[in-house]
Amino acid sequence: YIGGATLAAALVYQRVSKDIDPLSPGNPLVFATGPFTGSSVPMVSRYAVCGISPLTAYWGESTSGGRFPVRLKGSGFDGLIVTGRSEKPVYLYREKVKAEIRDASQLWGKDSYETQKLIKKELGDDNLSVACIARGGEKQIRYASIMNDKGRSAGRCGMGALMGSKNLKAVVAAGDSKPKLADSARIRALVKQAGTDIDANPISVAFTEYGTLMYMDMGMMLGDVPVKYFTKSVFPVEKVTGEAFRQAYTIKNHACRGCPVGCGRLVKNFEVDLDVDGPEYETAVAFGPLCLNTDLDSIVEANHLCNVHGIDTISAGVSIAYALYLYEQGVLTKEDAGMELLWGDSKTILKLVEMIVNLEGIGEILSQGTLAMARHFGRDEGEASQV
């Protein structure tokens, strides 16, 4: 099984039965790295986190980058399998070939940034890496994410909810060992060639300059950017492109471990007490064109709220867009929502993110995703297939 996700699929398949409850102790949570992770091969600092999805009850797979994958692989194992449920909140500490389960009661209720900071302080090591859940995972919101290295996110399929169901607040990795290579000379030659190819590719430059948002205007030209809850494909895209974000904010790019491109974004002049991990393409689409929203501040803030509280930006944005669509159709009323739900209303979009995180009012049904929303409002389930 080559790669973390395929290895995880085999491990999960061996441990589940048909119709298993995704939030039951028997549903395994697998963190797995790939064969090149931790080596000198570029662009391989990724890990997959997998299990039966709390959102869909089918296979769930999410990936993230940063430093955590290298630190996890550096602990001497390709990954880990978590089963059962702790009686109290705990976190798992991995260092080289050692594993410890530690009390996390004092961390329960802390947001993702606070959790990472407090664990590093407790262990006295600012160089270790933390993958953790926040309110989304603790409340087992169906599309809760797992956050690592500040704003990196394993966001899809609700793996944060599965992690929360096990009372596992965080996985901490501090390993620094390197994988053994069967043919060091051949790897060096391949790495050199890969570096040359990456540097010569114009897409690499675009990713460095604008991150994944470099695709926004190109995708719109190709009809590949969904607008107004997948009902249109025309939008004033120039207002939400990577270039527009660069003009509006001071942005710094950062890279996953061992990546020469650095597509990650940090917004430097947003009014919070830390650098905000800038929105990726999918996030900007979900809170932008999909909701007919052109307000950049609200897109950045919605992304940050999701990261702080550990919920998937894509599922959250699509669920909000579906609510706006249902309101326009007259299916979801002002009384149901407790407010008007109008296309492009940035304040309402942010309010709905907060309501999802807090499971408040209409936010509770939105927190379950579009399929649950379609069933709740008696709609054709095909409307919810886009997410």
Side-chain angles (χ1 to χ4, degrees):
Y1 302 96
I2 299 176
T6 50
L7 174 61
L11 295 171
V12 170
Y13 184 76
Q14 295 166 7
R15 289 166 172 80
V16 297
S17 57
K18 184 179 180 181
D19 300 325
I20 187 172
D21 180 352
L23 296 176
S24 68
N27 185 16
L29 176 68
V30 179
F31 290 74
T33 60
F36 288 125
T37 303
S39 72
S40 57
V41 175
M43 297 180 166
V44 295
S45 186
R46 305 286 299 180
Y47 75 101
V49 55
C50 306
I52 302 302
S53 167
L55 181 63
T56 67
Y58 293 103
W59 168 249
E61 171 188 330
S62 191
T63 67
S64 182
R67 294 187 302 161
F68 179 81
V70 172
R71 288 297 201 178
L72 181 62
K73 185 71 169 280
S75 66
F77 294 92
D78 291 306
L80 59 95
I81 308 170
V82 183
T83 58
R85 175 183 290 140
S86 173
E87 293 182 359
K88 62 180 182 180
V90 295
Y91 71 85
L92 178 64
Y93 176 49
R94 297 291 301 270
E95 183 183 17
K96 296 182 179 177
V97 293
K98 179 175 67 175
E100 297 178 10
I101 295 177
R102 299 194 173 199
D103 184 24
S105 299
Q106 76 283 6
L107 299 171
W108 206 253
K110 302 295 184 183
D111 71 41
S112 65
Y113 289 89
E114 289 177 308
T115 298
Q116 295 176 54
K117 186 176 180 179
L118 288 170
I119 289 177
K120 290 181 178 183
K121 183 178 180 180
E122 177 182 323
L123 296 174
D125 185 355
D126 198 47
N127 291 317
L128 55 74
S129 191
V130 179
C132 68
I133 59 172
R135 186 180 300 176
E138 292 174 3
K139 291 181 176 290
Q140 296 173 34
I141 290 174
R142 297 288 170 159
Y143 45 79
S145 59
I146 298 172
M147 306 300 301
N148 65 275
D149 300 311
K150 295 185 177 179
R152 298 290 186 176
S153 175
R156 307 300 283 146
C157 299
M159 293 297 103
L162 176 53
M163 192 164 165
S165 74
K166 299 185 179 305
N167 271 333
L168 180 62
K169 178 66 174 178
V171 174
V172 184
D176 57 6
S177 62
K178 304 294 182 183
K180 293 181 180 179
L181 304 177
D183 189 340
S184 299
R186 180 64 174 150
I187 288 291
R188 284 195 297 271
L190 289 170
V191 168
K192 184 177 180 180
Q193 182 61 53
T196 300
D197 292 344
I198 291 167
D199 290 343
N201 193 319
I203 298 298
S204 299
V205 179
F207 273 122
T208 300
E209 289 296 316
Y210 301 115
T212 55
L213 274 167
M214 55 79 62
Y215 184 68
M216 183 70 84
D217 43 359
M218 184 189 309
M220 185 64 70
M221 290 172 56
L222 297 172
D224 191 37
V225 178
V227 178
K228 198 179 182 184
Y229 191 67
F230 305 96
T231 62
K232 296 184 180 298
S233 59
V234 178
F235 185 77
V237 69
E238 68 279 358
K239 296 182 179 180
V240 292
T241 62
E243 184 179 4
F245 276 90
R246 283 285 297 270
Q247 292 173 345
Y249 307 108
T250 301
I251 291 180
K252 177 182 177 182
N253 66 311
H254 63 103
C256 296
R257 181 77 171 266
C259 177
V261 173
C263 70
R265 307 286 97 182
L266 286 175
V267 178
K268 304 289 288 184
N269 59 342
F270 206 66
E271 293 182 2
V272 293
D273 60 355
L274 49 80
D275 294 338
V276 175
D277 290 86
E280 299 286 344
Y281 162 76
E282 295 271 11
T283 302
V285 170
F287 291 117
L290 216 57
C291 295
L292 292 186
N293 179 30
T294 59
D295 181 57
L296 296 184
D297 280 357
S298 68
I299 294 172
V300 173
E301 188 172 351
N303 176 68
H304 184 61
L305 282 171
C306 290
N307 287 346
V308 165
H309 299 300
I311 63 171
D312 178 35
T313 58
I314 302 173
S315 288
V318 172
S319 296
I320 290 170
Y322 188 34
L324 300 179
Y325 171 81
L326 292 176
Y327 188 84
E328 182 183 56
Q329 297 290 311
V331 175
L332 205 170
T333 67
K334 185 177 180 180
E335 289 70 30
D336 293 328
M339 68 187 90
E340 283 193 295
L341 302 182
L342 303 179
W343 293 108
D345 187 338
S346 59
K347 291 183 179 179
T348 295
I349 292 168
L350 291 173
K351 176 63 176 176
L352 289 172
V353 173
E354 293 175 349
M355 293 176 74
I356 289 170
V357 169
N358 294 318
L359 299 178
E360 173 192 349
I362 194 66
E364 185 170 1
I365 184 62
L366 268 63
S367 75
Q368 298 174 40
T370 55
L371 182 57
M373 291 171 65
R375 289 171 175 169
H376 178 82
F377 291 106
R379 302 293 290 184
D380 182 346
E381 292 184 5
E383 284 187 348
S385 65
Q386 291 93 342
V387 75

PDB file of all heavy atoms in Angstrom, residues 100-120:
ATOM      1  N   GLU A 100       3.425   8.169  24.959  1.00  0.00           N
ATOM      2  CA  GLU A 100       2.829   8.395  26.272  1.00  0.00           C
ATOM      3  C   GLU A 100       1.427   8.966  26.106  1.00  0.00           C
ATOM      4  O   GLU A 100       1.190   9.782  25.221  1.00  0.00           O
ATOM      5  CB  GLU A 100       3.659   9.391  27.092  1.00  0.00           C
ATOM      6  CG  GLU A 100       5.068   8.945  27.417  1.00  0.00           C
ATOM      7  CD  GLU A 100       5.817  10.019  28.192  1.00  0.00           C
ATOM      8  OE1 GLU A 100       5.181  11.010  28.621  1.00  0.00           O
ATOM      9  OE2 GLU A 100       7.042   9.866  28.360  1.00  0.00           O
ATOM     10  N   ILE A 101       0.510   8.524  26.957  1.00  0.00           N
ATOM     11  CA  ILE A 101      -0.826   9.114  27.016  1.00  0.00           C
ATOM     12  C   ILE A 101      -0.854  10.050  28.220  1.00  0.00           C
ATOM     13  O   ILE A 101      -0.590   9.622  29.345  1.00  0.00           O
ATOM     14  CB  ILE A 101      -1.912   8.043  27.137  1.00  0.00           C
ATOM     15  CG1 ILE A 101      -1.935   7.188  25.867  1.00  0.00           C
ATOM     16  CG2 ILE A 101      -3.278   8.689  27.358  1.00  0.00           C
ATOM     17  CD1 ILE A 101      -2.923   6.045  25.905  1.00  0.00           C
ATOM     18  N   ARG A 102      -1.144  11.321  27.988  1.00  0.00           N
ATOM     19  CA  ARG A 102      -1.101  12.334  29.045  1.00  0.00           C
ATOM     20  C   ARG A 102      -2.471  12.989  29.232  1.00  0.00           C
ATOM     21  O   ARG A 102      -3.268  13.065  28.308  1.00  0.00           O
ATOM     22  CB  ARG A 102      -0.052  13.398  28.708  1.00  0.00           C
ATOM     23  CG  ARG A 102       1.361  12.847  28.589  1.00  0.00           C
ATOM     24  CD  ARG A 102       2.381  13.956  28.607  1.00  0.00           C
ATOM     25  NE  ARG A 102       3.736  13.456  28.651  1.00  0.00           N
ATOM     26  CZ  ARG A 102       4.790  14.193  29.045  1.00  0.00           C
ATOM     27  NH1 ARG A 102       4.601  15.455  29.421  1.00  0.00           N
ATOM     28  NH2 ARG A 102       5.995  13.676  29.053  1.00  0.00           N
ATOM     29  N   ASP A 103      -2.700  13.477  30.427  1.00  0.00           N
ATOM     30  CA  ASP A 103      -3.964  14.128  30.758  1.00  0.00           C
ATOM     31  C   ASP A 103      -4.116  15.435  29.969  1.00  0.00           C
ATOM     32  O   ASP A 103      -3.186  16.241  29.906  1.00  0.00           O
ATOM     33  CB  ASP A 103      -4.000  14.413  32.263  1.00  0.00           C
ATOM     34  CG  ASP A 103      -5.325  15.015  32.712  1.00  0.00           C
ATOM     35  OD1 ASP A 103      -6.341  14.803  32.025  1.00  0.00           O
ATOM     36  OD2 ASP A 103      -5.343  15.710  33.747  1.00  0.00           O
ATOM     37  N   ALA A 104      -5.305  15.612  29.394  1.00  0.00           N
ATOM     38  CA  ALA A 104      -5.578  16.836  28.630  1.00  0.00           C
ATOM     39  C   ALA A 104      -6.800  17.560  29.166  1.00  0.00           C
ATOM     40  O   ALA A 104      -7.387  18.386  28.464  1.00  0.00           O
ATOM     41  CB  ALA A 104      -5.768  16.501  27.159  1.00  0.00           C
ATOM     42  N   SER A 105      -7.185  17.259  30.406  1.00  0.00           N
ATOM     43  CA  SER A 105      -8.379  17.891  30.980  1.00  0.00           C
ATOM     44  C   SER A 105      -8.271  19.407  30.960  1.00  0.00           C
ATOM     45  O   SER A 105      -9.259  20.120  30.703  1.00  0.00           O
ATOM     46  CB  SER A 105      -8.591  17.398  32.418  1.00  0.00           C
ATOM     47  OG  SER A 105      -8.788  15.999  32.443  1.00  0.00           O
ATOM     48  N   GLN A 106      -7.061  19.923  31.213  1.00  0.00           N
ATOM     49  CA  GLN A 106      -6.851  21.368  31.259  1.00  0.00           C
ATOM     50  C   GLN A 106      -6.894  21.998  29.875  1.00  0.00           C
ATOM     51  O   GLN A 106      -7.007  23.221  29.743  1.00  0.00           O
ATOM     52  CB  GLN A 106      -5.504  21.685  31.932  1.00  0.00           C
ATOM     53  CG  GLN A 106      -4.270  21.432  31.066  1.00  0.00           C
ATOM     54  CD  GLN A 106      -3.873  19.967  30.943  1.00  0.00           C
ATOM     55  OE1 GLN A 106      -4.588  19.085  31.420  1.00  0.00           O
ATOM     56  NE2 GLN A 106      -2.740  19.697  30.316  1.00  0.00           N
ATOM     57  N   LEU A 107      -6.841  21.168  28.837  1.00  0.00           N
ATOM     58  CA  LEU A 107      -6.848  21.665  27.458  1.00  0.00           C
ATOM     59  C   LEU A 107      -8.240  21.615  26.830  1.00  0.00           C
ATOM     60  O   LEU A 107      -8.478  22.244  25.804  1.00  0.00           O
ATOM     61  CB  LEU A 107      -5.879  20.851  26.599  1.00  0.00           C
ATOM     62  CG  LEU A 107      -4.404  20.884  27.011  1.00  0.00           C
ATOM     63  CD1 LEU A 107      -3.614  19.860  26.198  1.00  0.00           C
ATOM     64  CD2 LEU A 107      -3.821  22.271  26.831  1.00  0.00           C
ATOM     65  N   TRP A 108      -9.141  20.833  27.437  1.00  0.00           N
ATOM     66  CA  TRP A 108     -10.490  20.682  26.865  1.00  0.00           C
ATOM     67  C   TRP A 108     -11.206  22.038  26.902  1.00  0.00           C
ATOM     68  O   TRP A 108     -11.225  22.711  27.919  1.00  0.00           O
ATOM     69  CB  TRP A 108     -11.274  19.649  27.650  1.00  0.00           C
ATOM     70  CG  TRP A 108     -12.351  18.971  26.842  1.00  0.00           C
ATOM     71  CD1 TRP A 108     -13.682  19.163  26.936  1.00  0.00           C
ATOM     72  CD2 TRP A 108     -12.169  17.975  25.829  1.00  0.00           C
ATOM     73  NE1 TRP A 108     -14.353  18.359  26.044  1.00  0.00           N
ATOM     74  CE2 TRP A 108     -13.458  17.617  25.346  1.00  0.00           C
ATOM     75  CE3 TRP A 108     -11.049  17.366  25.260  1.00  0.00           C
ATOM     76  CZ2 TRP A 108     -13.648  16.671  24.347  1.00  0.00           C
ATOM     77  CZ3 TRP A 108     -11.239  16.426  24.260  1.00  0.00           C
ATOM     78  CH2 TRP A 108     -12.521  16.081  23.812  1.00  0.00           C
ATOM     79  N   GLY A 109     -11.734  22.442  25.796  1.00  0.00           N
ATOM     80  CA  GLY A 109     -12.377  23.747  25.698  1.00  0.00           C
ATOM     81  C   GLY A 109     -11.485  24.820  25.107  1.00  0.00           C
ATOM     82  O   GLY A 109     -11.963  25.912  24.758  1.00  0.00           O
ATOM     83  N   LYS A 110     -10.200  24.541  24.977  1.00  0.00           N
ATOM     84  CA  LYS A 110      -9.275  25.515  24.387  1.00  0.00           C
ATOM     85  C   LYS A 110      -9.354  25.442  22.861  1.00  0.00           C
ATOM     86  O   LYS A 110      -9.602  24.389  22.282  1.00  0.00           O
ATOM     87  CB  LYS A 110      -7.832  25.244  24.830  1.00  0.00           C
ATOM     88  CG  LYS A 110      -7.623  25.259  26.340  1.00  0.00           C
ATOM     89  CD  LYS A 110      -7.868  26.627  26.933  1.00  0.00           C
ATOM     90  CE  LYS A 110      -7.553  26.634  28.420  1.00  0.00           C
ATOM     91  NZ  LYS A 110      -7.857  27.955  29.043  1.00  0.00           N
ATOM     92  N   ASP A 111      -9.138  26.584  22.205  1.00  0.00           N
ATOM     93  CA  ASP A 111      -9.167  26.579  20.745  1.00  0.00           C
ATOM     94  C   ASP A 111      -7.885  25.963  20.191  1.00  0.00           C
ATOM     95  O   ASP A 111      -6.965  25.622  20.941  1.00  0.00           O
ATOM     96  CB  ASP A 111      -9.442  27.979  20.198  1.00  0.00           C
ATOM     97  CG  ASP A 111      -8.284  28.966  20.374  1.00  0.00           C
ATOM     98  OD1 ASP A 111      -7.114  28.583  20.181  1.00  0.00           O
ATOM     99  OD2 ASP A 111      -8.553  30.148  20.685  1.00  0.00           O
ATOM    100  N   SER A 112      -7.811  25.822  18.891  1.00  0.00           N
ATOM    101  CA  SER A 112      -6.703  25.090  18.282  1.00  0.00           C
ATOM    102  C   SER A 112      -5.365  25.795  18.469  1.00  0.00           C
ATOM    103  O   SER A 112      -4.340  25.149  18.713  1.00  0.00           O
ATOM    104  CB  SER A 112      -6.977  24.858  16.793  1.00  0.00           C
ATOM    105  OG  SER A 112      -7.017  26.079  16.075  1.00  0.00           O
ATOM    106  N   TYR A 113      -5.351  27.117  18.365  1.00  0.00           N
ATOM    107  CA  TYR A 113      -4.103  27.860  18.535  1.00  0.00           C
ATOM    108  C   TYR A 113      -3.643  27.816  19.992  1.00  0.00           C
ATOM    109  O   TYR A 113      -2.457  27.624  20.283  1.00  0.00           O
ATOM    110  CB  TYR A 113      -4.281  29.308  18.073  1.00  0.00           C
ATOM    111  CG  TYR A 113      -4.414  29.466  16.572  1.00  0.00           C
ATOM    112  CD1 TYR A 113      -5.658  29.403  15.953  1.00  0.00           C
ATOM    113  CD2 TYR A 113      -3.307  29.682  15.765  1.00  0.00           C
ATOM    114  CE1 TYR A 113      -5.793  29.543  14.585  1.00  0.00           C
ATOM    115  CE2 TYR A 113      -3.422  29.831  14.395  1.00  0.00           C
ATOM    116  CZ  TYR A 113      -4.675  29.761  13.799  1.00  0.00           C
ATOM    117  OH  TYR A 113      -4.799  29.896  12.435  1.00  0.00           O
ATOM    118  N   GLU A 114      -4.575  27.989  20.924  1.00  0.00           N
ATOM    119  CA  GLU A 114      -4.248  27.920  22.349  1.00  0.00           C
ATOM    120  C   GLU A 114      -3.724  26.536  22.711  1.00  0.00           C
ATOM    121  O   GLU A 114      -2.742  26.410  23.462  1.00  0.00           O
ATOM    122  CB  GLU A 114      -5.496  28.207  23.195  1.00  0.00           C
ATOM    123  CG  GLU A 114      -5.982  29.637  23.188  1.00  0.00           C
ATOM    124  CD  GLU A 114      -7.257  29.791  23.999  1.00  0.00           C
ATOM    125  OE1 GLU A 114      -8.222  29.045  23.775  1.00  0.00           O
ATOM    126  OE2 GLU A 114      -7.282  30.664  24.886  1.00  0.00           O
ATOM    127  N   THR A 115      -4.362  25.506  22.201  1.00  0.00           N
ATOM    128  CA  THR A 115      -3.963  24.135  22.521  1.00  0.00           C
ATOM    129  C   THR A 115      -2.534  23.872  22.095  1.00  0.00           C
ATOM    130  O   THR A 115      -1.719  23.325  22.872  1.00  0.00           O
ATOM    131  CB  THR A 115      -4.908  23.130  21.831  1.00  0.00           C
ATOM    132  OG1 THR A 115      -6.240  23.326  22.330  1.00  0.00           O
ATOM    133  CG2 THR A 115      -4.477  21.706  22.092  1.00  0.00           C
ATOM    134  N   GLN A 116      -2.193  24.255  20.882  1.00  0.00           N
ATOM    135  CA  GLN A 116      -0.834  24.033  20.394  1.00  0.00           C
ATOM    136  C   GLN A 116       0.189  24.790  21.245  1.00  0.00           C
ATOM    137  O   GLN A 116       1.241  24.262  21.613  1.00  0.00           O
ATOM    138  CB  GLN A 116      -0.737  24.462  18.933  1.00  0.00           C
ATOM    139  CG  GLN A 116      -1.585  23.614  17.999  1.00  0.00           C
ATOM    140  CD  GLN A 116      -1.563  24.105  16.567  1.00  0.00           C
ATOM    141  OE1 GLN A 116      -0.501  24.270  15.967  1.00  0.00           O
ATOM    142  NE2 GLN A 116      -2.740  24.348  15.995  1.00  0.00           N
ATOM    143  N   LYS A 117      -0.145  26.015  21.584  1.00  0.00           N
ATOM    144  CA  LYS A 117       0.753  26.845  22.380  1.00  0.00           C
ATOM    145  C   LYS A 117       0.946  26.286  23.787  1.00  0.00           C
ATOM    146  O   LYS A 117       2.082  26.213  24.296  1.00  0.00           O
ATOM    147  CB  LYS A 117       0.195  28.271  22.438  1.00  0.00           C
ATOM    148  CG  LYS A 117       1.099  29.285  23.106  1.00  0.00           C
ATOM    149  CD  LYS A 117       0.478  30.687  23.023  1.00  0.00           C
ATOM    150  CE  LYS A 117       1.368  31.725  23.682  1.00  0.00           C
ATOM    151  NZ  LYS A 117       0.758  33.086  23.574  1.00  0.00           N
ATOM    152  N   LEU A 118      -0.155  25.851  24.421  1.00  0.00           N
ATOM    153  CA  LEU A 118      -0.082  25.357  25.799  1.00  0.00           C
ATOM    154  C   LEU A 118       0.663  24.029  25.885  1.00  0.00           C
ATOM    155  O   LEU A 118       1.401  23.786  26.850  1.00  0.00           O
ATOM    156  CB  LEU A 118      -1.493  25.211  26.364  1.00  0.00           C
ATOM    157  CG  LEU A 118      -2.222  26.523  26.674  1.00  0.00           C
ATOM    158  CD1 LEU A 118      -3.693  26.259  27.004  1.00  0.00           C
ATOM    159  CD2 LEU A 118      -1.543  27.262  27.826  1.00  0.00           C
ATOM    160  N   ILE A 119       0.490  23.160  24.906  1.00  0.00           N
ATOM    161  CA  ILE A 119       1.212  21.882  24.916  1.00  0.00           C
ATOM    162  C   ILE A 119       2.708  22.105  24.756  1.00  0.00           C
ATOM    163  O   ILE A 119       3.527  21.480  25.458  1.00  0.00           O
ATOM    164  CB  ILE A 119       0.669  20.945  23.824  1.00  0.00           C
ATOM    165  CG1 ILE A 119      -0.728  20.440  24.210  1.00  0.00           C
ATOM    166  CG2 ILE A 119       1.607  19.769  23.590  1.00  0.00           C
ATOM    167  CD1 ILE A 119      -1.389  19.566  23.168  1.00  0.00           C
ATOM    168  N   LYS A 120       3.090  22.991  23.868  1.00  0.00           N
ATOM    169  CA  LYS A 120       4.517  23.289  23.700  1.00  0.00           C
ATOM    170  C   LYS A 120       5.112  23.862  24.981  1.00  0.00           C
ATOM    171  O   LYS A 120       6.239  23.523  25.362  1.00  0.00           O
ATOM    172  CB  LYS A 120       4.702  24.265  22.534  1.00  0.00           C
ATOM    173  CG  LYS A 120       4.426  23.656  21.167  1.00  0.00           C
ATOM    174  CD  LYS A 120       4.652  24.663  20.051  1.00  0.00           C
ATOM    175  CE  LYS A 120       4.411  24.033  18.684  1.00  0.00           C
ATOM    176  NZ  LYS A 120       4.683  24.974  17.578  1.00  0.00           N
TER     177      LYS A 120
END
